[in-house]
Amino acid sequence: MFDIIFWILAAVTVCAALAVVILRDVFRAALSLVLLFLTIAGIYITLYADFLAVVQILIYVGAISVLIIVAIMLTREVWHGNPSGKLRIPALVVSLLLLGTMVFTVISTKWETSGEPPQQPTTAAIGASLFGEGGFILPVEITAVLLLAAVLGAIVLIREK
């Protein structure tokens, strides 16, 4: 059952990613990005990675997508669509280099996988290792401060116009 749901979500994810790139209307592309983030969270659920699914929904869907949509709504040039495409060739070259790097990494990495899903939810164990004794509370706090600074910087940039 999860295999069928996984493949359906994977197909919707690819379609949403293509819509983000292809659509000329920036607002619709942002909504496609939200759909992309939600389907990725669904894929995490089918892979028994409940913590990653929650993080995906909270951070990407809840924070980053809303920030992108608010920034688009506050921008006056939304109705003009995407730029004319002057940077298509450099973007294509960078994309091909990135694709080659990713394919090389996937092929050259020895993946160790387990055939059985975890017996218990992994959220509590990950939370304990992150925030428990000897955890990573300081890097998490530093990341939160950096994200807050980025949001404040975006607000300041928008207010100047």
Side-chain angles (χ1 to χ4, degrees):
M1 179 68 179
F2 271 165
D3 289 340
I4 296 170
I5 295 172
F6 173 83
W7 286 109
I8 291 172
L9 288 172
V12 172
T13 302
V14 170
C15 291
L18 288 174
V20 169
V21 176
I22 293 173
L23 287 176
R24 291 194 54 84
D25 186 0
V26 178
F27 184 72
R28 289 185 180 161
L31 291 178
S32 297
L33 188 65
V34 171
L35 176 64
L36 173 74
F37 289 153
L38 285 173
T39 55
I40 288 174
I43 288 174
Y44 286 148
I45 290 172
T46 61
L47 296 174
Y48 300 100
D50 50 347
F51 180 76
L52 287 177
V54 170
V55 168
Q56 178 77 21
I57 290 173
L58 287 177
I59 294 176
Y60 287 99
V61 176
I64 293 177
S65 297
V66 170
L67 182 64
I68 289 172
I69 289 174
V70 167
I72 289 172
M73 297 299 285
L74 293 176
T75 305
R76 296 178 193 264
E77 290 85 20
V78 167
W79 307 112
H80 298 298
N82 290 332
S84 61
K86 295 178 182 174
L87 299 175
R88 282 186 181 172
I89 300 298
L92 179 67
V93 170
V94 170
S95 300
L96 290 176
L97 287 174
L98 182 62
L99 177 67
T101 303
M102 291 173 56
V103 167
F104 174 75
T105 302
V106 167
I107 291 173
S108 65
T109 301
K110 187 175 184 177
W111 300 96
E112 295 181 19
T113 59
S114 173
E116 299 178 11
Q119 301 298 320
Q120 300 174 357
T122 57
T123 306
I126 292 174
S129 65
L130 273 178
F131 303 115
E133 188 172 324
F136 298 97
I137 189 68
L138 183 61
V140 170
E141 289 179 347
I142 290 172
T143 304
V145 170
L146 288 175
L147 286 173
L148 179 64
V151 168
L152 292 176
I155 291 171
V156 168
L157 287 175
I158 290 172
R159 289 192 66 169
E160 288 182 3
K161 288 186 177 182

